[in-house]
Amino acid sequence: MDTNASRRPLPSRTPRSAKAIINAILALPNQSPQSISASMADRVSPRTIYRWAKGEHAPQRPGDYTALLQLAERHGLSVEDGTSVEA
């Protein structure tokens, strides 16, 4: 059994897709880094959301990326394979 499975880095596509997902959510009415952070149960700070949106950083914990995908789905955004976001 691989005990390091949870420590593996996320796939290299994550920074690009996380940025696309956040920017798609931010394009919706009444959305901000603060509201995204709150919708993700404050797993990350609004400043972190801002950095992800700018592409400066990407989610490091798989759970944060999963929470972001779930938030996109709750907003009715279609996320296919984590690589594209459609409104």
Side-chain angles (χ1 to χ4, degrees):
M1 182 157 128
D2 186 358
T3 58
N4 291 321
S6 64
R7 294 185 183 153
R8 288 186 183 145
L10 296 175
S12 62
R13 73 175 192 269
T14 301
R16 198 168 42 250
S17 59
K19 178 180 176 180
I21 292 166
I22 290 175
N23 284 314
I25 295 170
L26 288 172
L28 298 172
N30 302 317
Q31 292 300 309
S32 66
Q34 293 80 9
S35 66
I36 293 172
S37 175
S39 295
M40 292 176 65
D42 293 316
R43 291 181 61 94
V44 296
S45 71
R47 178 69 183 136
T48 297
I49 298 296
Y50 177 79
R51 288 182 183 120
W52 291 353
K54 298 287 281 181
E56 294 174 7
H57 296 283
Q60 298 299 306
R61 295 179 294 192
D64 293 343
Y65 187 67
T66 300
L68 183 59
L69 291 173
Q70 291 170 346
L71 179 60
E73 289 174 2
R74 283 197 308 263
H75 282 290
L77 299 172
S78 173
V79 181
E80 300 173 6
D81 298 323
T83 58
S84 65
V85 176
E86 299 174 11

